[in-house]
Amino acid sequence: MNLISNGKAVSISYRRNEVVSMVLLILTTVISILSVLVMPKRISWIEIYTTSLFVMFLGSVADIYLDVKYDFYGFFTKGVDFEYLLIFIFIYPATNSVFLNFYPQSKSLSRKALYLTVWVILTTLFEYVSGQTEVFYYNEWKPIYSFFCYPFLYIAMVLNLKMIRRLQVIDK
């Protein structure tokens, strides 16, 4: 269905997608913040803070190259906008914090692999849903690429947390 605005046709479905995108973004942001605040903490606030900075750095490097430079994918529109900042400042760090907080540090390798696999599947599905609601868009990128990249990102987060803990021991 189209509306006429200033002599131009405006698609109502486009407006609906825009509303759905914003609702998804706001809900995800609120849920992300609440998750971090209410979860029983197994990692310290300094670990949450430093690993979040690491994730934000990694995310920005990936997004600068894959989004801005090569335009493989992006959030909402090409480049950085307010909505992207919500994702970058709240959702990336919150996801990192919840993942690391419940990571089965002292469990078997198979338990760690299962935990990692579940997170990779959930993250890829969330990315796919974000693509369907136009929070995220694909150009040359495919969700399957993310599926194979996420394990490396999650492992990098775990290794970063281990490094932070070693540095804390050295400081004492």
Side-chain angles (χ1 to χ4, degrees):
M1 176 184 229
N2 292 326
L3 296 175
I4 303 298
S5 172
N6 296 331
K8 296 181 181 177
V10 178
S11 171
I12 290 178
S13 64
Y14 175 75
R15 288 185 182 183
R16 283 189 190 137
N17 283 345
E18 195 173 287
V19 170
V20 170
S21 297
M22 290 310 296
V23 167
L24 179 64
L25 178 62
I26 291 167
L27 278 174
T28 303
T29 302
V30 169
I31 291 168
S32 297
I33 293 168
L34 289 175
S35 296
V36 172
L37 293 176
V38 302
M39 72 181 177
K41 306 293 184 289
R42 295 181 184 165
I43 59 177
S44 68
W45 281 106
I46 192 69
E47 291 169 338
I48 289 172
Y49 178 73
T50 53
T51 57
S52 293
L53 289 175
F54 174 75
V55 165
M56 289 166 56
F57 170 75
L58 231 100
S60 65
V61 169
D63 292 342
I64 285 169
Y65 279 95
L66 299 176
D67 176 7
V68 178
K69 184 171 182 171
Y70 296 112
D71 197 28
F72 286 169
Y73 64 78
F75 300 93
F76 296 97
T77 59
K78 186 166 173 51
V80 177
D81 49 23
F82 174 75
E83 293 88 353
Y84 174 74
L85 291 176
L86 285 176
I87 293 167
F88 188 74
I89 293 171
F90 294 108
I91 298 172
Y92 280 6
T95 303
N96 156 69
S97 300
V98 174
F99 171 80
L100 289 173
N101 190 68
F102 295 106
Y103 182 75
Q105 202 76 335
S106 59
K107 302 293 182 192
S108 68
L109 184 59
S110 61
R111 184 83 179 258
K112 291 175 183 176
L114 176 63
Y115 183 80
L116 181 77
T117 302
V118 168
W119 271 86
V120 167
I121 291 168
L122 290 174
T123 309
T124 304
L125 285 173
F126 184 77
E127 181 182 305
Y128 177 77
V129 169
S130 297
Q132 298 304 303
T133 60
E134 298 177 6
V135 168
F136 192 82
Y137 65 87
Y138 298 103
N139 287 330
E140 301 298 318
W141 197 258
K142 306 279 185 256
I144 193 73
Y145 302 162
S146 296
F147 180 81
F148 288 107
C149 288
Y150 283 134
F152 296 103
L153 297 173
Y154 284 123
I155 290 168
M157 286 191 278
V158 170
L159 294 174
N160 182 62
L161 177 61
K162 286 183 179 187
M163 176 61 76
I164 290 165
R165 288 180 172 166
R166 284 187 187 137
L167 292 174
Q168 286 176 320
V169 169
I170 291 171
D171 278 351
K172 292 179 182 179

